[in-house]
Amino acid sequence: GEAFEREARLLNSLHHPGLPHVSDYFSEAGGNFLVMQYIEGEDLSEILKREGAFPVADVVRWTDELLGALEFLHSQEPPIIH
């Protein structure tokens, strides 16, 4: 419980365009839950089923965005390793 609360508070303090904002957290019925920003869009697995492989340019752009988010996390004090 304490570890979840600590992580939830940490996630709430992070602000990066590549990460959804965590606005709240709670425990209920034996489970722990995060309240996160809703990000509108179509599920990538549905697009993949419908259209096949993603264009390389899209995959490279997504990879760059992911690496930017990881760089942000690793630059925190102390670093957040995901």
Side-chain angles (χ1 to χ4, degrees), residues 2-73:
E2 288 180 27
F4 171 75
E5 188 173 329
R6 213 173 26 255
E7 184 171 338
R9 282 195 308 269
L10 173 70
L11 292 172
N12 176 263
S13 72
L14 299 175
H15 301 284
H16 183 275
L19 301 172
H21 179 68
V22 174
S23 59
D24 201 1
Y25 61 93
F26 62 96
S27 298
E28 184 176 295
N32 296 314
F33 303 91
L34 295 173
V35 179
M36 302 174 77
Q37 170 190 8
Y38 174 72
I39 299 175
E40 190 172 341
E42 191 172 4
D43 187 295
L44 290 178
S45 67
E46 294 302 317
I47 298 171
L48 186 61
K49 287 177 193 173
R50 184 180 65 242
E51 298 180 17
F54 297 114
V56 172
D58 289 344
V59 175
V60 170
R61 188 180 77 252
W62 297 333
T63 302
D64 189 48
E65 291 171 5
L66 280 169
L67 290 172
L70 286 173
E71 181 179 36
F72 169 77
L73 292 171

